[in-house]
Amino acid sequence: MTYTRETIEQFLIGKVLRWIGILFFFLITAFPFYYMVLLSFRSIQNLLTDPGNLMPDWSLVASMETYINIMKPVSQGGQGFYTFILNSLMVATIATALTLIIAILAAFAATRLDFRGKGLINWGILLVYLVPAIVLAIPLFVIFSKLGFRATVERRLFGLIIVYLSSTLPVALYMLRSYFQTIPTALEEAALIDGTTRLGTIWRIIIPLSVPAIASTGLYVFMIAWNEFLYALLFLLEERDAWTLSLGVAQLNTQEVPKTMLMAGSVVITVPIIILFFFFERFLTQGLTAGAVKG
Amino acid sequence: MSAVTTPQPKRPREEGGLTLAQRDARLAYALLAVPVLIVLAVVIFPLLWNILLSFQSLRLIDLRNLNLFSFTPTLDNYRRVLSSRGFMELLRTTLIYATFGTILPILMGLAAALLARDAFPGRSIWRGFMLFPYIAPIVAVAFVWRIMLNAQFGIVNEWMVDLFGAQRISFLSQRTIDLGMPGLHEFPLALSMVIFFQGWRYFPFSFLFFLARLQALPDNLYEAAEVDGASLTERFWFITMPQLRGVMGTLILLRFIWTFNKFDDIFLLTGGAAGTEIITVKIYDWLFGRSDVGAAAALSIILALILIVLLMIYFRWFFQEDEA
């Protein structure tokens, strides 16, 4: 065997460097999540005296004490995470459902119907997509205060849903539209001739054929709403009962709350997303690239 | 939903004598009215109104008796924002953050995609892990980083002390560090950390794009080069890289826009302290720290203008290069 440039490169880059790289990327992505779970199962005293320890305190794993503490309502000395989970679930689910319904109908109109001003839709999507959240944050904050959307818990959450709806609509419409364009129209034409209405074809033909695209769009919207922080901070801060999970976790970062609880809160907000991801990885990966998820 | 399950007999001409095309157009407008109205009310109207706010003297406590359109226009907000101490530094930090916060995730994404291109045992699980930083909620990952980098009990300091006997460092609250090399005596520490965070959190996005492109490249491109005796590194520079140019251009554009407008990451990691204050965090500070709605609006308009100018430069440069 001769040592040509090719064989040396093959060995160094193709084998050695490649495996080092694979290991490196695995460690940097997996370790922070391991560390997060680990700290949620240790006591704060233990963390301060022995920071380098990479094993959990098994008695805390068994008792789930840190988690029970953050779940309990404030009146019982807890952090009220139970309420935050319900708020987040409600906001994200309603925002996702509304976005999907409106976007499916709009994407149908944009791909199957002829009307004046069709070209404007593309520009509208692009324009809205590129508007920075922070630029909208100030006027929305002012308008919502003025309209009383910051008066009660329900109104605050309603305002938040509207904002999530409007910020995810353009990309949901974009994703569904590109998928609908790939469905051949022959089936719908046949159904129209058989007497189905235009709207009937959406329910009976387009939706059943687009389940994967609808799933990726829905997951994407849900994820955005579940993870969102800035608007939650602006609209909900003064009303603890209205907090979503991301705001609740952020508010754990104070001197009084042990960092182990902060990590337990982080685990609580992350786990549902990771579970969704494992169940729907294929859809989610498609959604991430197709919609070029903003983040 | 039961209404749609009963098929109705289709008549060629509906009541009012509308043609099929006219009815289609009507249906389209009806279906599009909802999203268009929502976008007008929650995006376009606020956007335009923000411009008005920026010419208005308005503080948080005035919100209750605010009159939407009657006010005396003033340039005070812009004057106050532009002449405030440290505005140039704010601009500089924002540009450094946005530039390196764009480059680092793209380079890391490219590296990860090249690693994942050919199969290896456990690749699909590995690929799943690669997406974790990106799909996890920002609050969770920002706080894990804060704790990992903590000076007292953070794991990074613990390892550094154990392995190198180094001094403990507060990575996220120390402005500069002396790296003991010429030119690196005042290396920006906290700013580098938030840029590393950008690299870690957003490389999966570039990874997915690069991987999709790489796996679509035809094998015969490489076979020919191999016959001609091109080495591994040569094949990378002269075959793979040119094929990735388009993806690269898109990624630079998207990532720069998003990083430039990003608020959450720095707000949660450092709160804008230790030389990491960027325009978006400053806007929040004007709004709630100083209760100055007008100045916050003015700064957000400045942010949008800077972005528009940078995009115009980018597009000119991009298209010129294409023509050359």
Side-chain angles (χ1 to χ4, degrees):
Chain A
M1 172 144 180
T2 50
Y3 293 101
T4 61
R5 176 176 177 177
E6 176 71 14
T7 53
I8 293 171
E9 276 189 356
Q10 278 291 358
F11 177 72
L12 281 181
I13 300 174
K15 293 256 157 48
V16 180
L17 217 64
R18 181 152 179 259
W19 277 105
I20 291 175
I22 289 168
L23 193 67
F24 169 78
F25 273 103
F26 177 74
L27 286 177
I28 65 162
T29 49
F31 182 76
F33 293 93
Y34 174 73
Y35 190 68
M36 180 160 95
V37 177
L38 171 78
L39 290 203
S40 73
F41 288 123
R42 288 179 60 190
S43 70
I44 187 72
Q45 293 80 11
N46 183 265
L47 170 66
L48 294 174
T49 51
D50 187 9
N53 188 355
L54 286 180
M55 289 310 278
D57 179 342
W58 294 108
S59 67
L60 281 177
V61 177
S63 70
M64 296 294 280
E65 201 182 301
T66 323
Y67 288 90
I68 292 169
N69 268 333
I70 62 166
M71 288 296 183
K72 272 194 298 204
V74 183
S75 56
Q76 293 171 33
Q79 299 293 339
F81 262 57
Y82 183 66
T83 316
F84 307 158
I85 294 175
L86 288 184
N87 287 342
S88 270
L89 264 181
M90 190 183 81
V91 169
T93 312
I94 297 178
T96 309
L98 288 178
T99 304
L100 280 182
I101 293 171
I102 298 173
I104 288 173
L105 295 176
F108 167 79
T111 53
R112 295 297 192 270
L113 302 174
D114 257 329
F115 57 95
R116 278 158 63 98
K118 209 171 169 176
L120 277 174
I121 292 180
N122 295 320
W123 284 104
I125 292 173
L126 190 69
L127 186 82
V128 174
Y129 196 45
L130 292 181
V131 174
I134 191 89
V135 175
L136 293 181
I138 302 157
L140 282 176
F141 179 79
V142 175
I143 295 167
F144 279 20
S145 308
K146 191 79 191 149
L147 294 178
F149 278 150
R150 287 175 57 242
T152 64
V153 172
E154 291 77 20
R155 290 196 204 168
R156 279 171 195 265
L157 292 176
F158 176 76
L160 202 61
I161 290 172
I162 297 295
V163 172
Y164 292 168
L165 173 62
S166 69
S167 53
T168 52
L169 250 184
V171 76
L173 177 53
Y174 172 80
M175 286 165 73
L176 289 173
R177 202 191 52 154
S178 3
Y179 194 82
F180 286 1
Q181 278 165 349
T182 65
I183 303 176
T185 52
L187 270 173
E188 288 155 59
E189 280 155 13
L192 283 175
I193 290 166
D194 286 346
T196 314
T197 59
R198 273 289 196 189
L199 288 176
T201 60
I202 302 182
W203 185 248
R204 294 165 153 212
I205 295 167
I206 296 190
I207 291 181
L209 285 177
S210 332
V211 170
I214 293 173
S216 20
T217 312
L219 272 171
Y220 153 76
V221 174
F222 187 89
M223 217 172 80
I224 299 265
W226 182 268
N227 293 357
E228 204 281 333
F229 173 69
L230 170 61
Y231 286 116
L233 176 69
L234 286 179
F235 297 156
L236 311 177
L237 188 61
E238 308 89 347
E239 186 79 67
R240 198 188 168 103
D241 288 338
W243 287 1
T244 55
L245 258 181
S246 61
L247 186 57
V249 173
Q251 295 308 110
L252 283 182
N253 185 39
T254 61
Q255 291 295 329
E256 295 82 51
V257 181
K259 297 298 172 213
T260 48
M261 276 199 188
L262 176 62
M263 287 297 95
S266 301
V267 172
V268 169
I269 191 175
T270 308
V271 162
I273 293 293
I274 302 282
I275 291 176
L276 274 182
F277 173 71
F278 272 114
F279 272 103
F280 302 103
E281 188 189 344
R282 193 168 56 89
F283 295 141
L284 197 72
T285 313
Q286 272 168 3
L288 287 171
T289 42
V293 174
K294 206 171 183 170
Chain B
M1 286 300 157
S2 61
V4 286
T5 55
T6 49
Q8 289 155 9
K10 192 171 140 70
R11 283 162 290 173
R13 281 185 184 251
E14 207 78 345
E15 55 287 350
L18 290 174
T19 64
L20 187 65
Q22 280 170 322
R23 274 189 295 132
D24 272 4
R26 275 196 174 187
L27 180 61
Y29 292 133
L31 295 179
L32 288 167
V34 179
V36 168
L37 280 177
I38 291 175
V39 166
L40 280 179
V42 191
V43 180
I44 307 297
F45 173 67
L47 197 62
L48 297 176
W49 196 38
N50 198 30
I51 300 173
L52 289 185
L53 281 175
S54 73
F55 292 109
Q56 210 164 340
S57 167
L58 183 67
R59 306 189 55 82
L60 267 187
I61 35 167
D62 305 330
L63 282 190
R64 213 164 300 161
N65 16 11
L66 161 78
N67 193 322
L68 278 190
F69 297 103
S70 83
F71 63 91
T72 347
T74 168
L75 282 171
D76 271 0
N77 295 324
Y78 286 94
R79 217 170 286 142
R80 210 158 48 249
V81 165
L82 290 170
S83 66
S84 68
R85 255 193 315 134
F87 181 77
M88 287 320 283
E89 203 202 324
L90 181 69
L91 206 61
R92 212 184 113 233
T93 314
T94 309
L95 285 175
I96 293 175
Y97 173 70
T99 308
F100 289 99
T102 301
I103 296 172
L104 189 62
I106 291 180
L107 290 182
M108 286 173 69
L110 176 62
L114 289 168
L115 292 170
R117 183 185 189 181
D118 298 316
F120 58 84
R123 180 174 67 168
S124 58
I125 296 171
W126 183 86
R127 215 188 60 153
F129 271 98
M130 287 309 104
L131 300 183
F132 275 24
Y134 190 62
I135 58 169
I138 179 67
V139 284
V141 288
F143 287 127
V144 177
W145 268 63
R146 277 180 76 141
I147 293 179
M148 289 201 309
L149 295 175
N150 184 291
Q152 277 81 47
F153 50 82
I155 192 82
V156 176
N157 266 301
E158 195 59 23
W159 283 336
M160 286 192 0
V161 172
D162 281 357
L163 291 176
F164 311 111
Q167 293 247 315
R168 291 183 176 273
I169 302 168
S170 11
F171 289 100
L172 289 169
S173 49
Q174 191 174 323
R175 185 180 284 264
T176 57
I177 190 169
D178 186 350
L179 290 181
M181 272 175 272
L184 295 177
H185 289 300
E186 285 198 356
F187 187 76
L189 180 66
L191 185 58
S192 308
M193 287 302 139
V194 294
I195 290 170
F196 284 148
F197 179 81
Q198 290 294 304
W200 178 80
R201 178 160 166 84
Y202 299 103
F203 88 84
F205 182 75
S206 317
F207 165 72
L208 286 177
F209 273 77
F210 282 130
L211 190 61
R213 185 77 193 96
L214 281 176
Q215 288 179 335
L217 292 183
D219 283 340
N220 54 22
L221 266 179
Y222 292 93
E223 282 156 11
E226 222 164 322
V227 171
D228 288 345
S231 72
L232 198 68
T233 41
E234 284 166 343
R235 292 203 296 271
F236 171 72
W237 283 112
F238 298 112
I239 300 176
T240 311
M241 280 308 277
Q243 293 288 333
L244 294 178
R245 247 196 71 171
V247 181
M248 194 82 93
T250 314
L251 284 172
I252 290 174
L253 183 66
L254 289 175
R255 285 256 52 99
F256 187 86
I257 295 173
W258 291 336
T259 315
F260 194 82
N261 296 329
K262 197 146 275 299
F263 165 80
D264 304 4
D265 304 40
I266 287 193
F267 181 78
L268 290 166
L269 281 172
T270 66
T276 59
E277 190 165 60
I278 53 167
I279 297 179
T280 50
V281 174
K282 188 74 177 177
I283 293 173
Y284 184 85
D285 181 46
W286 277 111
L287 187 60
F288 290 109
R290 313 186 197 192
S291 314
D292 193 335
V293 182
L299 188 53
S300 74
I301 298 293
I302 294 172
L303 172 92
L305 288 178
I306 296 173
L307 189 62
I308 291 172
V309 170
L310 290 175
L311 288 183
M312 280 164 60
I313 295 172
Y314 177 84
F315 278 115
R316 276 193 72 163
W317 171 77
F318 201 74
F319 285 117
Q320 263 174 6
E321 197 161 79
D322 267 5
E323 281 162 26

